[in-house]
Amino acid sequence: MKFSVEIPNGWKMNLAMIKDPVEAYEAMTNVARAADEDGYESIWMVDHFHTVPTPSQEVTFETWMSLAAIARDTKRVRIGQIVSCNSYRNPALLAKMASTFDVLSHGRLNFGIGAGWYEHEYRAYGYPYPDAPERLRMLREALQVILAMWTQEEAVFEGKYYQVRGAINQPKGVQKPHIPILIGGGGEKVTLKLVAQYGDACNVGGDLETIRHKLAVLKNHCEALGRDFATVHCTTGAVCSIADDDETALAQLPPAVRNQLRDTSLVGSPQTIRQRIAALEEAGIHEIILDFPQSAADLTPIHRFAQEFVAQ
């Protein structure tokens, strides 16, 4: 099992206690440095513009710009988006951004992408908000554009939503044959089929039963397409709070987070967390992206989890 860290960018109100935006950025990059130095596999950031559960005036940093800066503040850890919203950036431009990012990070990019869902952001920023089937059709075309930009000398693609006509993309990045693609979402008919067709990794959520089911669906898609399911890197996210006993770990969480825990949440003593990790591994998960809700203010849980699990 690999362990990674979600970097707080303000989306979940996790920078609200820091009023100076420069200090908020430094707190954010301190989490990234801690993950880098403690041996975590990767760091990830959500791609959102407005806070949840409701939009507010609190700081929410843009993901690609933030991660580009963090790439130069870290040395070893891999870096990804969980996940980029396809609708927010033209896919040819996004492919160019990713190629540049892969070079400036010395080949550490995990490219995460999904169809998008947060309607309020779409409306506020002036993006069209088509229905889910159309957003997924757009994602399918976008994945083909991105791969063309990464693999063709002069990329060509003619689709309903996107067209590239001899686009030159240099440099194409460091990693070969191309930057790994993680596709987020658990839609069984389309999204998981896109993973089987184009993805190197997936990100699925839910309780244990849901995760088992989603990965079984993905395996079926892989078999239908003649792909080895074992070549898909399966990830999920989990809230994490670690303490000497379960009660203290639970009490450390903000009430809003405490009320949304699942049987996949890594909250409790090291023994409890070890049991939860084993269950996720048995379900088919290879990497857990850990959300430490108060990491911007306190790095202690990140360090302790690393000592208990990452160092093992």
Side-chain angles (χ1 to χ4, degrees):
M1 181 70 75
K2 295 179 178 180
F3 302 104
S4 301
V5 176
E6 182 181 322
I7 304 300
N9 73 333
W11 180 56
K12 299 176 183 176
M13 304 289 288
N14 43 22
L15 296 174
M17 76 295 292
I18 307 172
K19 298 308 176 184
D20 183 335
V22 175
E23 290 181 11
Y25 166 74
E26 294 300 334
M28 184 168 66
T29 201
N30 284 341
V31 175
R33 285 196 182 103
D36 192 39
E37 294 165 2
D38 284 356
Y40 287 89
E41 171 70 14
S42 54
I43 55 177
W44 302 81
M45 189 178 290
V46 298
D47 184 26
H48 287 293
F49 307 148
H50 286 181
T51 59
V52 288
T54 57
S56 75
Q57 293 297 320
E58 297 296 341
V59 161
T60 308
F61 286 97
E62 195 279 326
T63 297
W64 278 90
M65 289 291 290
S66 301
L67 289 177
I70 286 172
R72 302 302 290 175
D73 288 338
T74 54
K75 295 180 174 64
R76 179 202 56 80
V77 72
R78 294 188 62 80
I79 304 170
Q81 310 76 35
I82 198 74
V83 285
S84 298
C85 174
N86 175 58
S87 306
Y88 293 169
R89 304 165 191 88
N90 174 278
L93 171 62
L94 187 57
K96 177 70 172 176
M97 291 166 58
S99 299
T100 300
F101 190 110
D102 200 44
V103 172
L104 67 84
S105 66
H106 298 187
R108 291 187 284 140
L109 175 62
N110 290 332
F111 178 81
I113 192 167
W117 62 273
Y118 196 1
E119 182 177 359
H120 189 280
E121 287 178 339
Y122 279 77
R123 303 297 187 196
Y125 274 72
Y127 294 121
Y129 187 70
D131 60 20
E134 187 167 12
R135 296 199 308 275
L136 287 164
R137 289 193 292 270
M138 295 172 73
L139 176 60
R140 178 183 295 280
E141 285 195 12
L143 288 163
Q144 295 172 76
V145 169
I146 290 162
L147 285 168
M149 293 288 289
W150 289 347
T151 58
Q152 298 175 11
E153 289 298 304
E154 295 187 6
V156 174
F157 180 82
E158 289 289 336
K160 177 180 178 180
Y161 305 103
Y162 307 113
Q163 302 81 37
V164 289
R165 295 158 181 155
I168 296 172
N169 178 31
Q170 295 293 348
K172 293 189 181 300
V174 174
Q175 300 176 82
K176 304 299 181 185
H178 57 72
I179 299 160
I181 296 174
L182 178 148
I183 299 172
E188 296 178 16
K189 293 182 179 179
V190 180
T191 304
L192 293 177
K193 187 174 182 180
L194 291 176
V195 174
Q197 289 177 302
Y198 302 109
D200 301 287
C202 67
N203 181 262
V204 295
D207 56 22
L208 275 172
E209 183 179 352
T210 299
I211 289 173
R212 289 191 190 98
H213 173 69
K214 299 295 183 183
L215 295 185
V217 171
L218 175 56
K219 185 177 181 180
N220 288 337
H221 283 309
C222 287
E223 290 173 351
L225 292 167
R227 177 175 180 180
D228 182 359
F229 173 64
T231 63
V232 180
H233 185 70
C234 301
T235 76
T236 193
V239 170
C240 185
S241 177
I242 185 170
D244 290 338
D245 57 78
D246 294 354
E247 293 74 16
T248 303
L250 190 62
Q252 289 174 168
L253 293 172
V257 177
R258 203 180 305 153
N259 295 334
Q260 297 178 8
L261 298 180
R262 301 166 170 160
D263 59 359
T264 55
S265 301
L266 303 188
V267 176
S269 67
Q271 181 180 2
T272 296
I273 291 175
R274 193 165 285 110
Q275 293 169 351
R276 295 282 179 90
I277 292 170
L280 283 166
E281 191 164 25
E282 184 274 332
I285 293 297
H286 306 126
E287 180 176 348
I288 306 172
I289 301 169
L290 304 168
D291 175 10
F292 296 94
Q294 295 173 304
S295 58
D298 183 10
L299 298 174
T300 304
I302 292 177
H303 294 317
R304 179 163 185 187
F305 186 93
Q307 291 167 357
E308 294 280 357
F309 298 99
V310 178
Q312 302 293 327

